[in-house]
Amino acid sequence: MKTMHGLLVLLLTLLISAAGFAAEVKDVRLWRAPDHTRVVFDLSGPAEYQVFQLNNPERLVVDISRTRLKQLPADLKFDDSPISRMRHGVREGKDLRVVFDLSREVKIGSFMLAASGDLHDRLVIDFHDKQSAARTVKKAVDITSGRRPVIIAIDAGHGGEDPGAIGPGRLYEKKVVLEISKELQRLFNSTKGYKAELVRTGDYYVGLRQRRDIARKMQADLFISVHADAFKTPHASGSSVYALSQRGATSASAAFLAQRENDSDLVGGVSLSDKDDILAGVLTDLSMTASMDASLRIGANVLNGMGRMTKLHSKRVEQAAFAVLKSPDIPSILVETGFISNPGEARKLATSSYRKQMAQAIFSGVDSHFRRSPPPDTYLAALKRGEVKPREYTIASGDTLSEIAARFDVSVAQLQRENKLASTGIRIGQTLIIPES
């Protein structure tokens, strides 16, 4: 009997101990964006929490019920954030208390995210800067001059706590597409007649609707979302271009990829369920139809440019209900630069040279469209009407004549002939006249 009693006591003790904690903190991650800092707690299960702020000195206190944290990660860096220190302890024997010591006043946002796919339950705390000196959204240019540049919003997919697809060797989609986007921005901004801005400039998450809003505040003429996705099988390969569809996807793979990208807002903490009904009404507007027509034309040019340097997954512009493309007044395309789940394409995407080639192919396609159909109040329109001199390009370090020719979709011979170039080549700082392709 004593033995049986001892076993019962031990079992009861274990049950009470197990019931004492609802979750365990698996990891703590921090991301810095231009206007806020995000801290994410990865939890082993759902948990209730409370947050409250204290002044003099500024602090944020987070209490997570029936949760334990063994130790804080040693690699958390609070540089350029309002957080000066983070500490933790136990409250009433079972609740986790985390205290953030703050260097300045902030506005707090917080929410729980349920487990999804490979992601744990997460508690997200956002520290919004009240007076941020960092660059936020700004108007890209003054559009009143009558000869403004064509404005391109370049959106590197995913970011921050949302890595996107992960390829062999832990190659993150979010890093690959940001590098391609930066190179694409450089190409546009080194070409007279264009002004390109990045939707996200670093490793942080931006909600899908917010990405569209940023492009609208830029007064963009084109929105390009850059991705390198994964598919169910590693055999899928090739680049592709997508535009929005009001009637569903044009292929099974388009539907699959659209769902993957739309689900990223579940990672970033924005639910689309309460917005689609409102947006559906906007999609019926004539301006949306015009934007979609332009998207298909631009997409076809980009697809043609990419087809010259890599294999295509589809030889036509696919259409699917990508949430990030649902801008009623801005032509928008989503470019899949390759399947990061394919080992061969992942090896290419991991190299700087291939990423530059991909950016040049995208640029060439977009430039080809706007040379033929520029917005009427732009420099490119004035150039087409013969009101201004031909386009020019100033040679930068690392440029070669063949790369410049490919970038502008002209031949090396055309460049040499137009600029009377000697066989000795080109020099940094030299300005070339770019002939019409």
Side-chain angles (χ1 to χ4, degrees):
M1 291 296 292
K2 287 185 177 180
T3 302
M4 181 63 71
H5 178 73
L7 289 173
L8 288 172
V9 170
L10 177 60
L11 180 60
L12 182 61
T13 302
L14 290 173
L15 288 172
I16 292 172
S17 176
F21 293 99
E24 180 178 340
V25 177
K26 294 291 189 181
D27 195 12
V28 183
R29 294 169 290 139
L30 181 144
W31 311 96
R32 178 62 187 167
D35 59 351
H36 72 280
T37 300
R38 171 166 288 186
V39 176
V40 179
F41 294 88
D42 287 318
L43 306 174
S44 61
E48 296 181 353
Y49 76 98
Q50 289 183 326
V51 299
F52 57 93
Q53 292 180 259
L54 299 173
N55 306 108
N56 300 319
E58 296 289 334
R59 287 157 290 161
L60 176 72
V61 179
V62 182
D63 287 335
I64 311 176
S65 301
R66 298 171 57 206
T67 298
R68 59 184 174 182
L69 169 63
K70 292 180 181 178
Q71 64 180 21
L72 290 170
D75 58 349
L76 280 179
K77 295 181 180 179
F78 304 121
D79 301 346
D80 193 33
S81 82
I83 303 170
S84 57
R85 188 172 60 142
M86 179 179 171
R87 45 200 169 92
H88 75 287
V90 178
R91 176 177 173 271
E92 297 181 355
K94 59 181 179 180
D95 295 344
L96 171 65
R97 169 162 285 185
V98 180
V99 179
F100 294 91
D101 294 320
L102 305 175
S103 59
R104 57 183 181 268
E105 190 177 355
V106 294
K107 182 179 179 181
I108 298 298
S110 64
F111 50 88
M112 287 290 301
L113 289 172
S116 173
D118 296 332
L119 299 167
H120 295 287
D121 289 271
R122 286 143 290 155
L123 170 59
V124 180
I125 310 291
D126 284 332
F127 300 77
H128 295 279
D129 302 339
K130 284 202 167 183
Q131 292 182 336
S132 174
R135 172 195 171 276
T136 55
V137 179
K138 63 180 181 180
K139 188 161 63 174
V141 291
D142 177 8
I143 66 169
T144 62
S145 65
R147 289 184 181 176
R148 64 175 181 84
V150 173
I151 305 166
I152 311 293
I154 305 173
D155 169 45
H158 308 280
E161 69 272 23
D162 172 20
I166 302 175
R170 306 295 292 175
L171 182 65
Y172 289 136
E173 178 184 3
K174 66 175 183 177
K175 294 181 179 179
V176 169
V177 299
L178 182 59
E179 291 305 310
I180 293 174
S181 297
K182 287 180 177 179
E183 175 63 16
L184 186 57
Q185 181 193 32
R186 187 189 74 81
L187 293 174
F188 278 114
N189 287 343
S190 64
T191 305
K192 187 173 178 60
Y194 289 103
K195 175 65 177 178
E197 294 279 345
L198 295 176
V199 169
R200 72 171 175 95
T201 58
D203 188 12
Y204 53 88
Y205 185 78
V206 181
L208 298 181
R209 185 168 186 171
Q210 187 181 357
R211 293 170 193 255
R212 307 192 308 256
D213 291 343
I214 289 173
R216 186 169 293 111
K217 289 177 181 177
M218 290 177 185
Q219 301 188 16
D221 296 290
L222 175 65
F223 176 88
I224 307 173
S225 192
V226 184
H227 292 261
D229 218 321
F231 201 59
K232 304 172 188 176
T233 166
H235 301 298
S237 63
S239 301
S240 48
V241 178
Y242 295 83
L244 182 66
S245 170
Q246 293 188 34
R247 299 175 181 173
T250 53
S251 70
S253 60
F256 176 81
L257 293 176
Q259 186 59 49
R260 279 186 58 93
E261 301 308 338
N262 294 349
D263 282 347
S264 70
D265 254 359
L266 300 177
V267 178
V270 181
S271 172
L272 298 177
S273 60
D274 62 337
K275 302 178 179 68
D276 284 351
D277 288 344
I278 298 174
L279 199 55
V282 180
L283 292 175
T284 61
D285 191 88
L286 290 175
S287 64
M288 189 66 189
T289 302
S291 293
M292 287 177 60
D293 289 344
S295 300
L296 290 170
R297 292 196 303 273
I298 297 169
N301 278 278
V302 171
L303 200 62
N304 184 50
M306 292 195 302
R308 297 176 185 173
M309 53 79 61
T310 190
K311 174 187 174 183
L312 296 179
H313 182 69
S314 173
K315 293 184 179 180
R316 65 172 180 173
V317 179
E318 298 276 5
Q319 291 180 262
F322 286 99
V324 77
L325 300 182
K326 292 182 179 179
S327 184
D329 51 353
I330 303 174
S332 303
I333 59 173
L334 186 145
V335 178
E336 291 287 358
T337 56
F339 285 91
I340 207 168
S341 52
N342 181 290
E345 292 197 345
R347 282 193 295 271
K348 292 179 180 178
L349 289 166
T351 66
S352 174
S353 59
Y354 188 80
R355 292 195 294 261
K356 286 183 177 181
Q357 290 179 47
M358 183 60 67
Q360 287 177 355
I362 298 169
F363 168 84
S364 176
V366 173
D367 184 55
S368 176
H369 169 82
F370 282 115
R371 295 287 165 184
R372 289 195 302 270
S373 304
D377 58 340
T378 61
Y379 169 85
L380 294 184
L383 182 66
K384 187 178 180 181
R385 294 191 297 265
E387 298 171 0
V388 294
K389 294 179 180 180
R391 52 185 168 162
E392 297 177 344
Y393 176 77
T394 302
I395 297 169
S397 176
D399 281 339
T400 66
L401 203 58
S402 59
E403 287 178 346
I404 296 170
R407 186 179 308 164
F408 292 99
D409 197 23
V410 297
S411 69
V412 172
Q414 282 178 297
L415 281 176
Q416 291 174 324
R417 187 167 54 250
E418 184 73 31
N419 294 277
K420 299 180 175 58
L421 295 176
S423 57
T424 52
I426 56 178
R427 66 180 186 278
I428 296 173
Q430 182 181 0
T431 299
L432 298 180
I433 296 175
I434 308 297
E436 294 303 317
S437 58

